[in-house]
């Protein structure tokens, strides 16, 4: 497994055991490697059946209450197989934003979610759900910052 995937998986683990600082460091190191040219398109990072499970989990959850709905897109995402450079960069930026969100640093989270959104482009199929997640999180940050009008725009 390549170092970008290892760093991402370690970052996800760190996030879920309650260490967002360490998770941010892992995601940042992975993003640095992607941005410096260490990433090759079409690397195998997650088996196809796991990709389908993740997409199903994120798109078909039955949300009956607002508070539950706010948690649908909570947490970092794994890298998916056959992702393009932009999708990997976007996913890692999204993951960094999640670490700031967990710490209640909504301005920083919004900055990283915006960067994640700007990175989405070429790989439309893989980016479509990611774009939805990013927009949701941008709205959530605005809501938590007391900017309800801005939150509703997302």
């Amino acid at each position: 497994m390549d170092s970008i995937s290892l760093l991402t998986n370690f970052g996800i683990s760190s996030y879920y055991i309650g260490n967002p600082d360490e998770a941010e460091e892992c995601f940042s190191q992975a993003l640095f490697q992607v941005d410096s040219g260490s990433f090759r398109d079409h690397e195998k990072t997650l088996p196809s059946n796991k990709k389908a499970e993740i997409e199903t989990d994120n798109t078909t959850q039955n949300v009956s209450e607002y508070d539950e709905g706010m948690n649908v897109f909570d947490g970092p995402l794994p890298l998916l197989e056959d992702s393009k450079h932009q999708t990997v960069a976007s996913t890692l930026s999204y993951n960094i934003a999640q670490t700031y969100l967990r710490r209640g640093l909504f301005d920083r989270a919004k900055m990283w979610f915006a960067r994640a959104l700007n990175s989405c482009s070429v790989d439309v199929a893989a980016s479509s759900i990611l774009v939805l997640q990013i927009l949701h999180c941008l709205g959530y940050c605005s809501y938590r910052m007391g900017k309800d009008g801005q939150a509703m725009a997302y």
Side-chain angles (χ1 to χ4, degrees):
M1 185 179 274
D2 69 327
S3 62
I4 295 169
S5 295
L6 286 172
L7 284 166
T8 301
N9 292 338
F10 189 73
I12 291 170
S13 296
S14 296
Y15 178 91
Y16 284 115
I17 63 170
N19 194 343
D21 294 324
E22 187 173 276
E24 178 195 354
E25 181 64 29
C26 291
F27 298 139
S28 294
Q29 287 179 23
L31 184 59
F32 176 78
Q33 288 185 26
V34 169
D35 289 344
S36 66
S38 298
F39 176 79
R40 295 176 309 278
D41 286 347
H42 304 294
E43 287 188 273
K44 299 291 183 194
T45 55
L46 192 68
S48 299
N49 61 335
K50 290 293 182 194
K51 180 178 178 180
E53 287 173 20
I54 290 165
E55 288 176 355
T56 300
D57 287 346
N58 287 337
T59 58
T60 62
Q61 288 186 2
N62 184 7
V63 178
S64 59
E65 294 184 23
Y66 178 77
D67 289 336
E68 289 176 23
M70 294 309 289
N71 294 323
V72 171
F73 299 132
D74 182 30
L77 300 171
L79 300 178
L80 302 178
E81 74 174 62
D82 296 334
S83 293
K84 303 287 185 207
H85 177 274
Q86 292 88 348
T87 303
V88 171
S90 184
T91 301
L92 291 170
S93 295
Y94 175 90
N95 290 351
I96 292 169
Q98 285 290 346
T99 68
Y100 285 110
L101 194 62
R102 175 164 273 195
R103 292 177 276 183
L105 302 171
F106 302 111
D107 283 334
R108 297 280 299 168
K110 272 186 80 172
M111 181 191 75
W112 279 98
F113 284 128
R115 180 175 174 176
L117 187 61
N118 289 334
S119 295
C120 289
S121 63
V122 177
D123 195 9
V124 177
S127 295
S128 60
I129 292 173
L130 183 56
V131 168
L132 176 67
Q133 291 172 295
I134 294 167
L135 291 173
H136 168 84
C137 291
L138 282 166
Y140 179 73
C141 287
S142 295
Y143 165 76
R144 294 295 302 211
M145 294 167 64
K147 300 177 181 177
D148 295 344
Q150 191 179 67
M152 292 177 62
Y154 291 108

